[in-house]
């Protein structure tokens, strides 16, 4: 018996021993189907084969969708954990200055953004050394500036959460490193009856970190908790 015959016998024995392995191998099955079509010739149309190809294409699309859904679920879970950790960290300080420092440092690190600024409107604008010590985490602006900033480059009512890429970042909002900011999330704050609004501006160096296509539920929740904390401090 020749070596080729032995090889064929060994291969045949292996297939007979584990036929399921052949059926589960997608590439191998495609090769067998192609060999079968070649043996039949070009004048024979295999409707069953066409149907199988379409089913395979549908299965591939379903697998891609399945992977995308799982990836989105994990991403959403990770985002939820980040926001929860940030909120818990914000609840720890017992002094307002520490609260703001935590926002600009720890919270920014947890949320993986490069800069966070708390913007407050006031009818009295004056230089305050205490604000300077906070390292740019707090800025005070004139009434109406926040709504104008949120509605910049768009029409319609002012949204409470705005996600967008930044072409000309504002030094007034992001300080000396404003030119490094490529995208931002702006969260409008309701600080209570009789008070002017506030805003949290989160800036990222990555232009794709904040885009209008992203969901805003978690950021809205973060803003809701933050504005309630601010009402407590302001009272």
């Amino acid at each position: 018996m020749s070596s080729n015959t032995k090889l064929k016998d060994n291969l045949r024995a292996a297939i007979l021993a584990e036929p399921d392995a052949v059926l589960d191998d997608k590439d191998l099955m495609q090769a067998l189907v192609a060999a079968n079509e070649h043996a039949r010739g070009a004048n024979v149309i295999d409707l069953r084969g066409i149907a199988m190809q379409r089913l395979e294409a549908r299965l591939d699309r379903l697998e891609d969708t399945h992977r995308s859904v799982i990836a989105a679920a994990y991403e959403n879970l990770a985002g939820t954990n980040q926001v929860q950790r940030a909120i818990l960290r914000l609840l720890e300080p017992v002094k307002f200055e520490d609260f703001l420092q935590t926002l600009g440092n720890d919270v920014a690190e947890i949320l993986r953004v490069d800069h966070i600024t708390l913007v407050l409107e006031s009818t009295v604008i004056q230089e305050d050394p205490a604000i300077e010590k906070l390292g740019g985490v707090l800025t005070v602006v004139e009434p109406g500036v926040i709504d104008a900033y949120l509605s910049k480059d768009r029409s319609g009512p002012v949204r409470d959460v705005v996600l967008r890429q930044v072409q000309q970042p504002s030094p007034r909002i992001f300080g000396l490193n404003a030119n490094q900011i490529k995208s931002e999330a702006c969260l409008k704050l309701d600080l209570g009856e009789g008070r002017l609004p506030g805003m949290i501006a989160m800036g990222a160096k990555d232009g794709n970190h904040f885009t209008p296509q992203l969901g805003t539920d978690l950021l809205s929740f973060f803003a809701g908790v933050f504005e309630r904390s601010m009402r407590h401090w302001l009272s």
Side-chain angles (χ1 to χ4, degrees):
M1 188 178 290
S2 66
S3 60
N4 288 339
T5 303
K6 288 181 180 180
L7 178 62
K8 292 177 181 178
D9 288 342
N10 292 338
L11 180 59
R12 182 173 181 274
I15 294 175
L16 290 175
E18 294 186 79
D20 291 342
V22 177
L23 296 175
D24 292 337
D25 191 314
K26 181 179 177 181
D27 294 334
L28 182 57
M29 289 301 297
Q30 286 179 342
L32 292 174
V33 171
N36 184 50
E37 291 176 351
H38 179 73
R40 284 199 309 268
N43 294 327
V44 180
I45 299 176
D46 184 8
L47 296 178
R48 183 181 179 186
I50 294 174
M52 289 298 296
Q53 289 177 356
R54 291 181 178 177
L55 286 174
E56 287 178 357
R58 289 183 61 186
L59 180 60
D60 289 340
R61 290 196 297 269
L62 286 173
E63 289 179 344
D64 291 340
T65 301
H66 182 64
R67 284 191 290 266
S68 298
V69 169
I70 292 177
Y74 276 115
E75 185 176 348
N76 186 62
L77 179 60
T80 301
N81 289 337
Q82 281 182 315
V83 171
Q84 290 175 343
R85 288 172 53 210
I87 289 173
L88 290 176
R89 185 67 186 90
L90 270 178
L91 297 177
E92 294 179 4
V94 295
K95 295 181 180 180
F96 185 59
E97 182 177 343
D98 294 339
F99 174 77
L100 294 179
Q101 292 283 11
T102 298
L103 174 67
N105 297 319
D106 296 2
V107 172
E109 182 177 352
I110 292 172
L111 297 181
R112 297 179 182 176
V113 296
D114 296 292
H115 190 88
I116 294 183
T117 303
L118 172 61
V119 184
L120 299 178
E121 290 187 351
S122 175
T123 56
V124 179
I125 306 296
Q126 59 183 11
E127 293 185 2
D128 190 339
I131 295 179
E132 297 296 330
K133 292 180 180 179
L134 295 173
V137 70
L138 174 64
T139 185
V140 180
V141 297
E142 299 85 359
V145 169
I146 289 177
D147 280 354
Y149 190 80
L150 289 169
S151 59
K152 182 174 63 175
D153 299 330
R154 66 180 303 272
S155 58
V158 176
R159 291 180 294 178
D160 291 335
V161 179
V162 175
L163 308 179
R164 61 192 175 193
Q165 295 179 322
V166 182
Q167 302 299 329
Q168 295 179 332
S170 170
R172 192 172 189 184
I173 301 297
F174 293 111
L176 298 177
N177 297 322
N179 61 334
Q180 300 179 13
I181 301 300
K182 303 302 179 183
S183 64
E184 65 180 357
C186 303
L187 320 178
K188 188 175 181 180
L189 304 174
D190 179 3
L191 301 181
E193 186 177 354
R195 294 194 179 102
L196 293 170
M199 180 180 73
I200 297 176
M202 301 180 182
K205 296 178 182 179
D206 182 1
N208 295 319
H209 194 85
F210 295 115
T211 61
Q213 294 77 24
L214 297 177
T216 60
D217 291 347
L218 290 175
L219 290 175
S220 295
F221 177 69
F222 178 83
V225 174
F226 187 88
E227 65 188 10
R228 285 163 176 77
S229 296
M230 280 296 298
R231 292 174 193 170
H232 166 74
W233 290 112
L234 293 175
S235 63

